[in-house]
Amino acid sequence: MTGCDKCGFDYDLSLAPSVSRLAQEHAGEYADLLAAETSLLRRRPAPEVWSSLEYACHVRDVVLVQRERVLAARRRDTPVAEAMGRDERVEHAGYARELPADVARQLRDAVLLFGMALDLLTPADWERTLVYTYPAPEERSLRWLAVHTLHELRHHLLDARRAMGEPSSGV
């Protein structure tokens, strides 16, 4: 994967050491978005499209899962990154019922935890690998995982803005 056709993100692996800082910036943008009227944040633009709040909850959980994947790759050789059950979590974790201010705080905390795990990586650690199972099983470096996580933050911020009816350009 070299880029995302939907959001224009470029998988520039040289960004990996900057992901910790960039992710914190995005967490701030989510916090700003989550300060909107709660009814607007909970509204789904269509039954099959998540609300802005659901996107923010998803991203929070993605960041936490990615942190665990980084830690697993440091402990074991080429662990398998099992699917997180993204679609099931929306209902099973009750994303639509969460409080936006709590989600904003939790997302900031998740990004800090993830960033700390990245900031502790040595040059050799960045090249450690895991098997990423989506869309097809493929061995990926922690450098790729960091950049992919940044993509998740950026991409879903666009989704969350669209769900609120905001223009989606300029993340």
Side-chain angles (χ1 to χ4, degrees), residues 48-135:
E48 69 284 352
V49 178
W50 293 349
S51 69
S52 299
L53 178 59
E54 289 167 325
Y55 278 116
C57 290
H58 168 69
V59 169
R60 173 205 57 209
D61 287 357
V62 164
V63 172
L64 290 170
V65 167
Q66 295 294 69
R67 176 182 183 259
E68 290 305 311
R69 290 171 175 170
V70 168
L71 297 174
R74 291 191 72 196
R75 288 190 313 271
R76 296 188 308 273
D77 290 335
T78 319
V80 174
E82 298 296 334
M84 66 178 275
R86 62 170 267 158
D87 294 318
E88 297 84 1
R89 281 178 186 247
V90 175
E91 179 184 339
H92 295 170
Y95 285 176
R97 298 177 60 191
E98 295 197 37
L99 298 175
D102 291 346
V103 175
R105 185 187 70 255
Q106 293 161 359
L107 179 53
R108 283 183 187 268
D109 288 345
V111 165
L112 287 172
L113 289 166
F114 177 67
M116 188 179 301
L118 294 181
D119 291 343
L120 292 171
L121 295 177
T122 67
D125 288 335
W126 282 108
E127 303 314 317
R128 291 192 62 82
T129 61
L130 70 162
V131 175
Y132 215 80
T133 58
Y134 181 84

Side-chain angles (χ1 to χ4, degrees), residues 129-161:
T129 61
L130 70 162
V131 175
Y132 215 80
T133 58
Y134 181 84
E138 186 170 346
E139 197 169 309
R140 301 286 193 170
S141 69
L142 290 183
R143 185 175 299 281
W144 180 89
L145 182 134
V147 172
H148 179 65
T149 306
L150 183 61
H151 169 245
E152 287 280 321
L153 282 157
R154 288 186 181 179
H155 188 106
H156 291 310
L157 185 57
L158 291 173
D159 290 333
R161 287 177 175 159

